[in-house]
Every structure is written in structure tokens, then in C-alpha cells.
Amino acid sequence: MIAIQFYIDEDVFLASASELRRRGIDAISTQEAGRRSCDDESQLRWASENRRTIVTFNVGDYLALHATWLRSGRSHFGIIASSQRPIGDLIRRLGNLHATLSAEEIQDRIEFLSAW
């Protein structure tokens, strides 16, 4: 089982990636990856090329991208979508998801953080 590696979208708290790493979870932010201000399609493509699961508060746009990619036969390494929530709650829920799902299990799925 391969662990999920998170890619934190720029609309999510910048400190999220470092807090996840402090807890032993592989995470990188768009800022750390040098991808600030790239469009959503480009972010999802980069995440997929790097076998990372994107975490975003931009639910509507990523729901549409998920559907478009699946219809066109494109594969991604997962999308975790959430309404904006306090950083402590975000980190706790991402930790729960990380402890439960593998990278293989989240591939081509969209997960709503509210369920975790």
C-alpha cells in the first residue's frame, strides 16, 4: 500500500503542508512547488504527473475538472475537496483520510473532507 502524497492548492492555508509534514505525512504546497497562480487544470495535471492528491477549497471548479477528466479517459491521483474550515479541523480530517485510504484507492476519485 502506497501512502497518499498531498498537493495543497493555493486557496488552502499555506501552513497546511508544513503541519502535515510535521505529522509525518508527505505534503507540498503550490507555493513550495513554484506553481502559484497556475490555473486549476494545470494544477491537477501537475499533481497527477507527480502522483499527488490535490487538496482544495475550490469545490465547484474541481468537481467540474474531475468529471471532464473522467469523461475524456484521463486519470488523476485524487482530489480532496472541502468547504473552508479551520486549519486544525482540516489537518485532523486529512490525517484521518491519509490513515485510511492508499494512493491506489483514491486514484480517479473525489473525496469530500466533510466525510472524514
Side-chain angles (χ1 to χ4, degrees):
M1 179 169 111
I2 298 171
I4 294 172
Q5 298 175 309
F6 293 122
Y7 180 52
I8 309 298
D9 194 22
E10 69 185 280
D11 62 342
V12 177
F13 308 106
L14 180 59
S16 301
S18 60
E19 182 59 29
L20 288 165
R21 287 193 302 269
R22 192 178 73 72
R23 295 169 185 237
I25 297 172
D26 187 324
I28 187 171
S29 69
T30 54
Q31 293 88 337
E32 292 168 327
R35 302 205 33 85
R36 190 160 188 209
S37 299
C38 294
D39 65 54
D40 296 335
E41 172 91 20
S42 172
Q43 298 289 20
L44 185 58
R45 185 174 49 252
W46 188 92
S48 296
E49 289 168 356
N50 289 278
R51 304 178 68 87
R52 290 190 171 272
T53 300
I54 197 161
V55 178
T56 187
F57 288 155
N58 187 353
V59 177
D61 289 346
Y62 278 93
L63 274 172
L65 276 172
H66 171 70
T68 299
W69 276 44
L70 293 185
R71 272 195 311 273
S72 67
R74 293 173 74 183
S75 185
H76 61 74
F77 278 83
I79 299 168
I80 300 170
S82 178
S83 59
Q84 204 163 22
R85 58 184 62 249
I87 190 167
D89 185 55
L90 174 81
I91 298 302
R92 181 181 58 78
R93 289 174 185 270
L94 287 172
N96 291 342
L97 187 146
H98 186 268
T100 305
L101 295 178
S102 69
E104 296 87 1
E105 291 170 321
I106 201 163
Q107 190 170 349
D108 294 326
R109 285 174 53 180
I110 190 160
E111 285 290 325
F112 295 96
L113 203 54
S114 59
W116 296 92

